[in-house]
Amino acid sequence: MGLVGSLQVVVLVALTSTATGLDIPLEVEQPPTIITYTSGPMVALPFDNKITIRCEARGNPPPEYRWTKDGEDFVPPYVTTDYPDGTFVLHNKGLIAFKGKYRCYASNKLGTAMTEEIELRVPSMPKFPKEFNFPVVVKEGEPIILECNPPEGMAPRQIYWMSSDLEHIEQDERVSMSTDGNLYFSNALQNDSRQDYCCFAHFFKIRTIVQKADMAVVVKSLKPGNESADAGNATQAPPARIPSMLLPSGVQTEKVLLRGENLQLECIPQGYPTPTVKWMKMGDKLPLRTQMNNFGKLLFISSIHESDGGKYMCKAQNSAGEVVHYFNVIVDDPPKWETEPPHSQLTVIGTDVHIKCSVSGKPLPDITWRRNGDVIIDDPGSNKQVFDDTLVLLNARAQDSAVYQCEASNPHGSILANINIMVMNMAPRILTRDFQEYAVVQGEDIVMNCSVFSSPPPNISWAKDETLEIVKAERFLAVDGDLKILSAEKNDRGKYLCVASNTEGNSSITAVLDVKDSTKIVYAPQDLQIISGTTAQLMCQAEVDKSLLGAFEVVWRKDGEEIPLSSEENSRYFMDDGMLQIMSVNLSDQGRYTCIARTILDEDNATALLTVLDVPDAPKNVEILELKSQRNVCLSWVPGSDHNSSVTEFIVEYEESQWEPGRWKELKKVAGNQETAEVALQGHLNYQFRVYAVNVVGPGPPSEPTERYKTPPAAPDKNPENIRIRGHLPHQLDISWEPLLPIEHNAPGLEYKVSYRKLGVEDVWKEHLVQRHSFVVSNTSTFIPFEIKIQSRNSHGWGPDPKVATGYSGEDVPTAAPRDIAVEVINTTLLRVSWTPAPPATVRGHLGGYVVHWLRKRSWLEPNRILDDRKMLFFPGKRTLAIVPGLEPFSEYILTVNVLNKKGNGPNSDPVTFNTPEGAPDPVPILTASNAQKDSILLVWAPPLKTNGILTGYLLQHHLVNETTLEAVVSQETNITGADTTQWQLRGLEEGSLYRFHLRACTRAGCGPPLAQESRTPVTAAYLSPTPAVAPVQSTKGVLRSNFLTQGWFIGTMCAVALLTLVALMACFVRRNQGGKYAGTPPPSSTQRQDMVSMEKVKERENLHSDAESQGMKDDTFCEFSDSEEKPLKGGSLRSLPGDEALGDSVSRGSLDDYGNVGREFNEDGSFIGEYSGFTHRGSVSEPSAPRPVKA
């Protein structure tokens, strides 16, 4: 609700004597008021260094202090400067002299206030007096009283009766200690005689125990005839004695107690036999809180009240008679205020002042009235009149202003109240600062103060914007003169006027109110689940009024407790821009986190739940339960806490003490919802088990181990596994197996029975018992099959029936070679080889595969030069066909095949001779364009490094290039038939144009890949009509013009000669190092030639400007072979071909030295252990028009 116009609220503050207490601001002159003082009694302990007695009062002018001790003026020996008041300090030394009752007086010109009496008690150090105790001599059956008379001292006090050996004196119905500390014997027995009855007094507060001198008791026995005699003579039972009271004396005792104290009534009788004691309350039942202590001799009622008063009786009786004692219990009250102490009063001159001192107590307290500490004497002529518990000041005057004291006393204590009476007429005095500024956030309540002091009480009104028009508003309330605005709104801001007036005058102040935007959390922290040990991040961002940014802060609390944020290195809590980071989270960090965004005016909060995920706790109470046998047990456990992540599985581990003590191994896994696991155990082991749980966080700690569990011995449960049958020598059978683990022995004396016989023939089992895990059979035939069985046995019997394994005896090198070797040349570099396998009996072992060897005898380019370039390839497995890559074109080869087993290579087959066809040449290594004229350019090149056949000439293509689109617009080609031609003059070109040139070397098999170059014709001032002509430049001879030295063609020719010399040197170097690259393609068709004109422009430009030598080096890398341009062979392997060209296993590369002739073997599975070598050049070859088979 908005405030329209102005607001006026009128408040009348009642300052009468009965309504409220007087709270006068200290700015106004006033008499002293005691605000703090030491309440008595005070007890000075021996180890206290000092005693501080405080007295503090407020008043205007500030009060002065004085003290009395036991009613006499007292000057404190040392007034402390630690308190600016009447406090003084007494030091421990000589403290006994200051024992007494003190009273503090605080005075100024308007009156004197005083405190109640403060009693200081200084107990002396307790001790028993030095005395000699005569022995107590009694006859058997008579009573005994051993007096302790403990010294006075600081309560509480505990009394013990003990012997000199510090053994407690046994107490019962006959012997007991009273509350006064004396030891009572209802009747004496002979065994009560001893010399060391000791009384000890223990004072807890001063940590002191004192001991009385030993006392002796002599009990004389009775002779027959009832004559007494010393102990040791013949005795008889004491005569019966009628009960009487040892404590208390007389017939009746009066007991006066204060309400709330504990009632103790005690009756200790004497007599023989020992009397029993019973209690009752006359005319009523005993309270339900009644307890019977000290063997029924002590009646105890805690915290008595008035209804517990009355007459009680105790009765002691035995077979000889009875005795009774009465207690008159009176419950009194100390003085106390019936409601509250009388209040101070402010009144105007001429009124009657009533001061009522309403007190209660039992007996009824006496009331003493004082004025400024002096007793008021009842004077009928005075205006001060006392009526029972009320003091009346008639027609009060200003000089009646003072501090009046009401003190109520009875035998159980006294209470005192100071009442400030101020009689005056005074205009309003506003104590609140003028133009006090207030701030509140929108929607909250605000109270603007207007503290006023006046007499009579003022009328207080509030108005806004200095208008006096009264407007009623529900949101504006008057509270004791202050203005309270509920749910403040933005339009409530502004100035407010407080006006106070009475009959003596008026006064006013202005208050300024500002309404600000509330603080609001806009991004609250979200509930978070996090794994223990990681970092948790809780984000909290808030909006706040800009004017409050200086006082804005964000604090975090965990479960209601504020989180201390520290910059120390060991602190795990960090906060940055509202984000709380908790480093290395652990389980103790789990809880509710509250973000509090606050200013000096308001705050907002948001809470998120942080859940910490951790590994599960260890299971508990792991127990072993036997099932069908001692080797089949069930383990049960109680899962521990899963720490907010469900257990996925339990893992049972075992440890045995015989073979690997201390090493824990996994035995079984069970689902996370199970709490039991059935396990089968090995025999003859001493187990213990433990269990741990696993959740998504990880494995938890293991449980405590179980007690040891020993299993009985038994026959083996299994036989050896992984039987390996080999023949390291040709006439030997080697048998080995994985032995049983030690824990699988099940009993001592483990050994193995090895049984073997030939497979496929009538043969008997031969058996041997061994303790090792291998056995050798000698003098066998080479590579024949055997059946083998291995069975385990120990001292308790045989293992299960073994399974039969098969294997072969030792191998030897093959004795025969493959036959009918046939080769089929697929293309210039690829060959298909086929053969007829060697007879199986001649292999004499597991077939490893076949090795193809080939020798390059000569190149038909240099037929007179004999080569010795040998290579080989291994083809694993059983096969009759192989593809051989990596041949050189236009060469003569010799090829052989041999079979291979683990022992090595067999003999080579009959050799087969074949030739490879010509191939396309390599690209020319260098191409340069020089001597550019307006219509001609000279091209110079070097022949290809590898011709792969007989070079027949070159194919030259030149293209006019559109320099904008980089596309060829006009293309022409020229066949150069001279194989020795290394330069060519192109004529008929357009002036100032860009040309691209492609040059290929050609053999009868086709032309090789092109080499590209670009050049531009120059622009001249004089235009000459070009004559298209293309002619080879075969020599430098011809008709020379007179100025030929200055002609462009002459300069170009000389440059070409220099380039040719350089190319020749490079070619010799490259040929010597067998570098370079070769490839062959069939001559392009006319359609293909037209397509060649359109090529990728950017790639061509890059190739045109690449260095010829570096290009050759890049090409000299490992290559891939294929039987056609569309089917490349990856790496050094040949994939399976369709139909009869299937290759089977992949081809491996190796050198001849890697095979059987040098002792190399295959693995048991027949895998190849060598590698093809010598495969150094790359390229692609075209498939010939028809295969050319060659027969041996």
Side-chain angles (χ1 to χ4, degrees):
M1 179 186 298
L3 181 64
V4 182
S6 63
L7 168 71
Q8 184 184 51
V9 181
V10 179
V11 182
L12 295 178
V13 181
L15 295 177
T16 62
S17 60
T18 59
T20 61
L22 184 62
D23 185 14
I24 301 175
L26 199 57
E27 294 88 346
V28 179
E29 283 192 350
Q30 56 190 283
T33 301
I34 302 289
I35 57 177
T36 301
Y37 69 96
T38 301
S39 60
M42 296 183 63
V43 179
L45 300 176
F47 43 79
D48 289 335
N49 294 325
K50 61 183 180 180
I51 297 296
T52 302
I53 303 179
R54 297 194 58 188
C55 179
E56 181 181 355
R58 63 190 294 267
N60 187 3
E64 296 180 352
Y65 299 89
R66 66 183 179 88
W67 288 86
T68 62
K69 176 178 178 287
D70 297 330
E72 302 291 333
D73 287 340
F74 171 76
V75 178
Y78 176 72
V79 177
T80 178
T81 57
D82 295 339
Y83 304 96
D85 48 39
T87 299
F88 67 92
V89 174
L90 299 174
H91 292 282
N92 188 284
K93 187 176 181 180
L95 200 59
I96 191 69
F98 296 98
K99 181 170 60 174
K101 294 182 179 180
Y102 294 82
R103 196 187 292 268
C104 172
Y105 296 86
S107 306
N108 65 9
K109 66 179 183 180
L110 300 180
T112 300
M114 58 186 288
T115 66
E116 297 176 349
E117 286 188 330
I118 306 168
E119 182 181 4
L120 175 61
R121 300 174 183 174
V122 185
S124 58
M125 185 62 68
K127 59 182 178 179
F128 284 100
K130 293 182 179 181
E131 59 183 351
F132 176 76
N133 296 317
F134 292 97
V136 177
V137 181
V138 296
K139 295 179 182 179
E140 194 170 9
E142 294 180 347
I144 304 174
I145 300 177
L146 298 181
E147 295 182 355
C148 180
N149 298 323
E152 294 297 328
M154 175 64 60
R157 180 186 67 186
Q158 183 73 42
I159 307 298
Y160 307 95
W161 280 91
M162 307 176 76
S163 67
S164 58
D165 295 332
L166 300 181
E167 293 181 359
H168 286 277
I169 302 299
E170 186 175 353
Q171 299 185 32
D172 53 20
E173 291 83 354
R174 185 179 65 88
V175 181
S176 60
M177 182 183 69
S178 66
T179 55
D180 61 7
N182 296 337
L183 188 64
Y184 293 86
F185 296 75
S186 294
N187 50 76
L189 299 180
Q190 205 171 351
N191 56 8
D192 294 330
S193 297
R194 61 188 307 156
Q195 304 295 318
D196 57 352
Y197 285 93
C198 300
C199 179
F200 293 84
H202 183 194
F203 298 89
F204 293 97
K205 280 195 174 180
I206 59 176
R207 300 187 288 274
T208 301
I209 298 177
V210 293
Q211 176 185 357
K212 188 174 182 176
D214 295 356
M215 289 177 279
V217 173
V218 178
V219 179
K220 293 188 174 183
S221 61
L222 299 175
K223 277 187 176 183
N226 209 27
E227 295 180 1
S228 63
D230 292 337
N233 295 332
T235 61
Q236 67 177 18
R241 297 174 62 91
I242 299 175
S244 63
M245 289 296 175
L246 297 176
L247 185 75
S249 61
V251 177
Q252 182 169 319
T253 302
E254 184 175 84
K255 195 83 169 180
V256 179
L257 294 94
L258 296 179
R259 186 195 305 267
E261 292 184 338
N262 297 330
L263 172 64
Q264 295 188 94
L265 302 178
E266 194 170 29
C267 282
I268 300 181
Q270 65 90 13
Y272 187 86
T274 302
T276 59
V277 178
K278 294 183 179 179
W279 293 87
M280 64 183 66
K281 184 178 182 183
M282 309 303 292
D284 200 356
K285 294 181 179 180
L286 289 173
L288 295 176
R289 308 187 318 280
T290 304
Q291 301 177 23
M292 299 299 175
N293 298 331
N294 198 15
F295 309 101
K297 302 172 188 177
L298 178 64
L299 180 143
F300 178 84
I301 302 176
S302 61
S303 301
I304 64 170
H305 40 78
E306 192 171 358
S307 62
D308 296 324
K311 184 169 286 189
Y312 291 78
M313 182 188 77
C314 74
K315 179 191 292 186
Q317 61 183 7
N318 63 7
S319 58
E322 63 181 30
V323 64
V324 297
H325 190 89
Y326 297 95
F327 296 89
N328 187 21
V329 177
I330 300 172
V331 181
D332 281 355
D333 275 324
K336 64 178 181 180
W337 306 110
E338 286 190 346
T339 53
E340 55 183 347
H343 294 288
S344 299
Q345 300 179 37
L346 172 65
T347 187
V348 295
I349 297 173
T351 59
D352 293 340
V353 178
H354 296 257
I355 307 173
K356 186 174 179 62
C357 196
S358 300
V359 294
S360 64
K362 186 180 179 181
L364 191 65
D366 295 327
I367 296 177
T368 302
W369 290 95
R370 292 184 175 88
R371 181 179 186 273
N372 294 332
D374 298 327
V375 176
I376 296 176
I377 300 174
D378 193 7
D379 182 3
S382 171
N383 69 333
K384 302 176 183 65
Q385 301 294 320
V386 177
F387 300 97
D388 295 329
D389 59 355
T390 302
L391 174 65
V392 179
L393 304 180
L394 301 174
N395 192 19
R397 297 161 295 176
Q399 54 267 35
D400 290 326
S401 298
V403 181
Y404 292 82
Q405 287 87 26
C406 163
E407 186 171 22
S409 305
N410 72 3
H412 305 297
S414 63
I415 54 176
L416 181 141
N418 288 283
I419 305 102
N420 291 358
I421 301 298
M422 298 182 65
V423 183
M424 64 174 66
N425 288 1
M426 180 179 177
R429 179 180 177 182
I430 300 180
L431 305 175
T432 303
R433 184 168 63 88
D434 197 9
F435 283 95
Q436 174 73 44
E437 294 182 352
Y438 298 89
V440 65
V441 296
Q442 188 173 0
E444 296 294 326
D445 300 343
I446 181 66
V447 175
M448 291 184 289
N449 304 116
C450 190
S451 178
V452 182
F453 178 78
S454 70
S455 182
N459 294 327
I460 299 176
S461 62
W462 284 88
K464 185 182 180 187
D465 301 329
E466 301 180 356
T467 63
L468 299 178
E469 185 178 350
I470 299 175
V471 176
K472 295 182 179 181
E474 294 179 357
R475 293 190 302 109
F476 296 86
L477 305 175
V479 181
D480 295 335
D482 299 333
L483 177 63
K484 183 175 183 178
I485 303 177
L486 304 178
S487 300
E489 300 176 356
K490 285 286 187 178
N491 56 6
D492 292 336
R493 66 179 64 181
K495 295 181 180 179
Y496 291 80
L497 186 67
C498 171
V499 180
S501 60
N502 66 2
T503 57
E504 306 297 319
N506 60 66
S507 181
S508 66
I509 61 166
T510 299
V512 181
L513 177 63
D514 187 12
V515 181
K516 301 181 181 294
D517 293 327
S518 61
T519 303
K520 183 183 301 181
I521 292 178
V522 294
Y523 189 91
Q526 305 297 313
D527 291 346
L528 180 64
Q529 286 188 342
I530 192 162
I531 295 176
S532 176
T534 60
T535 299
Q537 294 182 340
L538 296 172
M539 176 62 74
C540 181
Q541 292 183 347
E543 291 180 350
V544 64
D545 192 285
K546 293 181 179 179
S547 63
L548 299 175
L549 284 175
F552 173 71
E553 65 174 348
V554 175
V555 297
W556 288 86
R557 289 179 180 167
K558 176 183 178 292
D559 298 330
E561 297 292 331
E562 187 166 333
I563 298 175
L565 298 175
S566 172
S567 58
E568 299 178 0
E569 292 183 359
N570 58 353
S571 175
R572 295 192 304 111
Y573 299 98
F574 298 94
M575 191 178 74
D576 183 23
D577 194 22
M579 175 186 288
L580 175 67
Q581 296 192 60
I582 309 173
M583 317 299 289
S584 300
V585 172
N586 55 50
L587 291 172
S588 65
D589 295 317
Q590 182 167 292
R592 303 192 70 84
Y593 286 78
T594 302
C595 163
I596 302 175
R598 66 188 180 193
T599 64
I600 56 175
L601 297 180
D602 71 332
E603 66 178 40
D604 192 13
N605 65 77
T607 300
L609 178 63
L610 178 65
T611 304
V612 179
L613 308 181
D614 204 350
V615 297
D617 283 345
K620 301 176 182 178
N621 304 332
V622 181
E623 297 180 351
I624 304 173
L625 303 174
E626 289 188 9
L627 294 177
K628 298 178 182 179
S629 69
Q630 291 179 300
R631 292 178 55 200
N632 289 276
V633 299
C634 177
L635 297 176
S636 65
W637 58 85
V638 177
S641 172
D642 61 7
H643 295 308
N644 306 307
S645 177
S646 299
V647 174
T648 57
E649 62 182 359
F650 288 99
I651 297 180
V652 179
E653 293 185 316
Y654 74 93
E655 181 265 353
E656 49 83 22
S657 59
Q658 180 177 355
W659 300 104
E660 293 182 282
R663 181 179 178 185
W664 289 91
K665 299 180 181 179
E666 182 178 313
L667 182 60
K668 191 172 184 179
K669 293 181 179 179
V670 297
N673 58 358
Q674 291 186 225
E675 298 178 13
T676 60
E678 295 183 8
V679 293
L681 307 179
Q682 300 291 336
H684 195 54
L685 292 178
N686 196 8
Y687 283 97
Q688 61 178 350
F689 306 95
R690 69 183 186 185
V691 183
Y692 66 88
V694 180
N695 61 12
V696 295
V697 182
S703 66
E704 290 295 324
T706 63
E707 297 292 330
R708 288 284 179 182
Y709 180 82
K710 191 168 185 178
T711 56
D717 295 323
K718 60 185 293 188
N719 291 313
E721 297 176 349
N722 294 331
I723 299 174
R724 293 179 296 276
I725 306 168
R726 297 178 179 177
H728 296 295
L729 297 176
H731 303 288
Q732 183 173 296
L733 180 66
D734 298 288
I735 307 170
S736 63
W737 57 90
E738 283 188 9
L740 298 186
L741 297 175
I743 63 171
E744 296 173 340
H745 290 188
N746 283 357
L750 182 74
E751 56 186 359
Y752 304 98
K753 183 176 73 172
V754 181
S755 304
Y756 62 92
R757 69 180 179 183
K758 293 180 182 179
L759 178 64
V761 297
E762 293 293 332
D763 196 9
V764 296
W765 289 99
K766 298 180 180 60
E767 298 178 348
H768 297 272
L769 282 174
V770 296
Q771 293 183 346
R772 60 185 183 275
H773 55 277
S774 64
F775 184 75
V776 177
V777 181
S778 303
N779 300 321
T780 66
S781 300
T782 301
F783 198 64
I784 61 172
F786 280 85
E787 289 182 310
I788 295 96
K789 296 188 297 184
I790 311 293
Q791 187 176 19
S792 55
R793 186 184 78 165
N794 62 20
S795 60
H796 275 67
W798 292 95
D801 291 336
K803 295 180 180 179
V804 177
T806 59
Y808 287 82
S809 59
E811 300 183 21
D812 206 344
V813 294
T815 59
R819 295 173 288 108
D820 304 327
I821 310 300
V823 298
E824 181 182 356
V825 177
I826 299 175
N827 57 32
T828 59
T829 62
L830 202 62
L831 181 72
R832 180 183 288 112
V833 184
S834 62
W835 60 85
T836 300
T842 65
V843 176
R844 301 203 298 176
H846 294 284
L847 176 64
Y850 292 86
V851 182
V852 178
H853 307 261
W854 66 94
L855 167 65
R856 186 185 180 204
K857 187 174 182 180
R858 64 171 58 85
S859 170
W860 292 115
L861 294 174
E862 300 176 297
N864 296 326
R865 179 185 175 192
I866 303 302
L867 304 176
D868 190 19
D869 186 6
R870 299 176 183 270
K871 295 181 181 179
M872 58 168 287
L873 268 179
F874 168 70
F875 299 88
K878 185 177 181 181
R879 62 175 62 238
T880 60
L881 180 70
I883 298 296
V884 176
L887 303 179
E888 294 289 340
F890 207 46
S891 300
E892 181 183 359
Y893 282 90
I894 298 174
L895 180 143
T896 61
V897 182
N898 65 266
V899 68
L900 188 69
N901 66 14
K902 287 196 294 184
K903 281 298 182 180
N905 294 317
N908 288 333
S909 66
D910 294 334
V912 176
T913 301
F914 65 92
N915 292 316
T916 55
E918 285 188 74
D922 285 3
V924 295
I926 186 169
L927 172 65
T928 62
S930 63
N931 196 21
Q933 303 293 326
K934 66 178 182 179
D935 61 348
S936 66
I937 290 178
L938 177 64
L939 298 177
V940 181
W941 64 88
L945 300 180
K946 294 184 67 174
T947 59
N948 297 327
I950 299 173
L951 194 64
T952 60
Y954 298 90
L955 175 65
L956 174 63
Q957 296 173 320
H958 66 276
H959 315 279
L960 178 62
V961 179
N962 185 326
E963 296 189 43
T964 303
T965 63
L966 296 180
E967 293 182 353
V969 293
V970 178
S971 299
Q972 296 182 18
E973 68 177 32
T974 305
N975 284 313
I976 303 172
T977 57
D980 296 331
T981 303
T982 58
Q983 59 181 336
W984 195 266
Q985 182 85 33
L986 275 178
R987 301 183 185 279
L989 307 179
E990 293 185 10
E991 180 182 3
S993 299
L994 177 65
Y995 283 89
R996 184 178 301 127
F997 308 100
H998 292 95
L999 183 65
R1000 304 167 184 260
C1002 301
T1003 66
R1004 288 177 294 180
C1007 294
L1011 182 63
Q1013 181 62 276
E1014 283 186 354
S1015 184
R1016 180 187 301 278
T1017 57
V1019 178
T1020 59
Y1023 179 79
L1024 299 176
S1025 177
T1027 301
V1030 179
V1033 179
Q1034 298 179 354
S1035 68
T1036 59
K1037 296 180 181 181
V1039 179
L1040 300 178
R1041 298 179 183 180
S1042 61
N1043 58 347
F1044 73 94
L1045 293 177
T1046 62
Q1047 296 301 314
W1049 65 268
F1050 179 77
I1051 297 173
T1053 302
M1054 300 306 295
C1055 292
V1057 171
L1059 284 172
L1060 287 174
T1061 304
L1062 176 61
V1063 169
L1065 292 175
M1066 291 174 60
C1068 293
F1069 176 81
V1070 173
R1071 184 178 296 277
R1072 181 177 180 182
N1073 289 275
Q1074 293 297 310
K1077 166 182 176 182
Y1078 69 90
T1081 57
S1085 64
S1086 60
T1087 304
Q1088 290 174 330
R1089 292 176 183 175
Q1090 293 298 324
D1091 293 340
M1092 291 179 185
V1093 177
S1094 178
M1095 304 174 71
E1096 291 184 356
K1097 308 301 183 296
V1098 177
K1099 181 65 178 178
E1100 289 176 351
R1101 294 180 66 90
E1102 292 177 354
N1103 293 336
L1104 286 172
H1105 298 288
S1106 63
D1107 181 68
E1109 183 177 356
S1110 64
Q1111 183 178 2
M1113 294 175 64
K1114 292 176 185 177
D1115 292 339
D1116 191 16
T1117 58
F1118 185 79
C1119 66
E1120 297 175 352
F1121 290 88
S1122 69
D1123 57 347
S1124 69
E1125 292 181 344
E1126 291 78 24
K1127 296 181 181 180
L1129 296 175
K1130 301 297 181 182
S1133 301
L1134 296 176
R1135 298 192 179 274
S1136 300
L1137 297 177
D1140 59 352
E1141 296 182 355
L1143 299 181
D1145 296 337
S1146 61
V1147 180
S1148 300
R1149 296 187 298 271
S1151 65
L1152 289 171
D1153 294 337
D1154 292 334
Y1155 287 87
N1157 293 335
V1158 291
R1160 296 293 296 269
E1161 294 189 359
F1162 293 89
N1163 293 333
E1164 184 178 2
D1165 58 359
S1167 60
F1168 175 58
I1169 60 175
E1171 189 175 283
Y1172 169 69
S1173 64
F1175 198 49
T1176 58
H1177 301 292
R1178 65 176 292 180
S1180 62
V1181 297
S1182 62
E1183 190 173 285
S1185 58
R1188 292 178 292 178
V1190 180
K1191 286 287 184 177

